[in-house]
Amino acid sequence: MTVEGTTGTVHGGPRLPQERRLVTEIPGPRSRELFARKQSAVPPGIGTTLPIFVTHAGGGVVVDVDGNSLIDFGSGIAVTSVGNSAPRVVERVQKQVADFTHTCFMVTPYESYVTVCEKLNALTPGDHDKRTFLVNSGAEAVENAVKVARHATGRPAVVVFDHGYHGRTLLTMTLTAKNMPYKDGFGPFAPEVYRVPLAYPFRWPSGPENCADEAAAQAIDMIEKQIGAANVAAVVIEPIAGEGGFIEPARGFLPKIAEFCRANGIVFVADEVQTGFARTGHLFACEDEGIVPDIICTAKGIAGGLPLAAVTGRAELLDSVHASGLGGTYGGNPLACEAALGVLETIEQDKLVERAAHIGEIMLPRLRSLQERFGIVGDVRGRGAMTAIELVVPGTKDPLAAGPIAARCHAEGLLVLTAGTYGNVLRFLPPLVIPDHLLEEGLSILERAISADQSA
Ligand code: PLZ
C-alpha cells in the first residue's frame, strides 16, 4: 500500500501533504472567529476537544481554516480508521449519491444493505448461523442488542461493568458508568440495569495477578445473589473499555464471563463500537482471547465517517423478533452502506489489520520508555492502534488530569484525546493509514509535552 502518498481526496481534489505544518498559533484567528459563532449558535452541552475548524483531512493529518496541518491521533474517535475520504469510500459514495440517496430499506430494499450484512455475518467471530441489521449509531446498536436479548430470552435484567461506556440515549446512558458528563441531571434512568466490577489490572486492590479471577468471581457472585442469573437477558461489555480509559480486562476475565453467560442462557453482547474494524490488530478485539459473542455491536470504523452501525448475532436470537419489530427510517442508508463496502475492501486489500499491529509495535515501546523515564506515566496499555497512558501523581496511583498535557500537544499540532473514569488517560487512535514518520513525530511531541510537565 502507498501510505506515504496517501491523499486526502481523490478525483482531482487537492493532495494533502503528509506533514505537520503550523502557520498560526493553535487555534488560529479564523478558527477563533468560527468558534465564537459556534458558542452563540450551539449549546455548550456539545463540547469541543480542540477548537480548530477543519477544511480537509486525510492520511494522518487534519487541515484547518488557517492552513495548519495537525497530526491526527484521534481519527474522529476511532472512526476514520481507513483514513478520511479514503479513495474507495469516496468513489462508492460519489456514485451512490448520484444514483439514489434514500428509499428506506424497510420500504423498498437495495442490494448494498444485504451485502454489508452478509459480510458482517461472515467476518465477525464464530462460524454459527448469523443475522445482521443496520442502524445509525453505536448507541442505537447497543440499545437494539438489548431489545433483541430481552425479546429472545423473555428476561428483563441487563448487566454492565464499571468503567463501561455505551452511548447517550436513555438506555445506553443508563448502561454507561460515568456520571459526569454523561448522566448528571439526566435521570431518572432506565430500570433493570445492574453494574458489576471490571477486571482493571492497574487499579485492582490485590494486584494485577489476582485481578481476572477475583473480578470475575465478584461479578458472578453479584449477578447470582443480587439479580438471579435466570433474570438476566444480557451481559453487555466492551472487550477493551474505551471511554473508560482503554482498560484491557485482565486476561481470563472475558472468557470466564462468557462461559458464565453460556451456562446460564444469558446473551453475551460485545460492544465493539470503538474496538472494531482492525483497530486493535484484530478485525475485532474479541478475537484476542477467542471470545465468540452471541451478539456483537459495531459502528464507528465501519463506514469511514458515514453514520452506520450494526447488530450482528446468532440467527435464532435475531430471528426471534416478530416481523417489523426492529428498524428505523435511516438505518443502513445507501450512502453509508456503500461507504462500509469501501471500508471493508480497504481493510482487506491494504492489510490494515496487520498495519494496526505494526502501529502498536511502533507506539507501545516508545510509550513504555516514557513510563520508565517519567513518574507521571503510571500505566501503558492497549493493542494495535488503540493505545493509552494513564497519568498519576508520581509514586502514587492518584489520578493526574490529562487535560494540560493534551493541551500542550494540541498547541504543537498533535491532536490527542483524553479518556478515563478519572480523566487521567491520554489515548491514541491514529488512522491506520498514518505514515510512520508522523507516528514518530507525534510521539516526540507527546514526549516533550510530558517532560515539560512540572510534576513529571
Ligand atoms: N459504545 C464502546 O465508544 C461511542 C463517544 C463520544 P455513538 N464513543 C464515543 C461522546 O462523547 O459522545 C461509543 C463507544 C462504545 C457505544 C458508543 C456510542 O456510539 O455512535 O456515539 O452513539
Side-chain angles (χ1 to χ4, degrees), residues 77 137-139 142 165-168 182 238 243 271 273-274 300:
I77 323 187
S137 69
V142 173
Y165 181 92
H166 301 288
R168 291 181 184 261
Y182 306 120
E238 301 161 88
E243 303 301 310
D271 177 347
V273 167
Q274 191 152 166
K300 290 190 186 282

Side-chain angles (χ1 to χ4, degrees), residues 415-451:
L415 201 177
V416 292
L417 306 175
T418 59
T421 298
Y422 314 104
N424 66 331
V425 174
L426 281 169
R427 56 171 155 168
F428 313 112
L429 292 162
L432 307 180
V433 295
I434 191 172
D436 286 359
H437 75 268
L438 289 183
L439 272 182
E440 299 281 3
E441 190 178 350
L443 287 161
S444 299
I445 293 169
L446 173 70
E447 177 169 343
R448 288 201 295 277
I450 290 175
S451 63

Side-chain angles (χ1 to χ4, degrees), residues 197-268:
L198 178 75
Y200 186 169
F202 180 64
R203 293 192 178 276
W204 196 254
S206 59
E209 39 319 312
N210 306 315
C211 180
D213 288 352
E214 288 180 12
Q218 286 180 21
I220 289 167
D221 191 59
M222 284 173 76
I223 293 171
E224 287 177 333
K225 302 293 184 316
Q226 298 179 23
I227 319 167
N231 297 314
V232 179
V235 163
V236 181
I237 189 163
E238 301 161 88
I240 300 176
E243 303 301 310
F246 284 22
I247 304 162
E248 294 175 88
R251 283 189 84 77
F253 179 78
L254 287 172
K256 282 192 165 62
I257 299 294
E259 175 51 37
F260 174 76
C261 289
R262 199 163 27 249
N264 289 279
I266 298 169
V267 178
F268 183 95

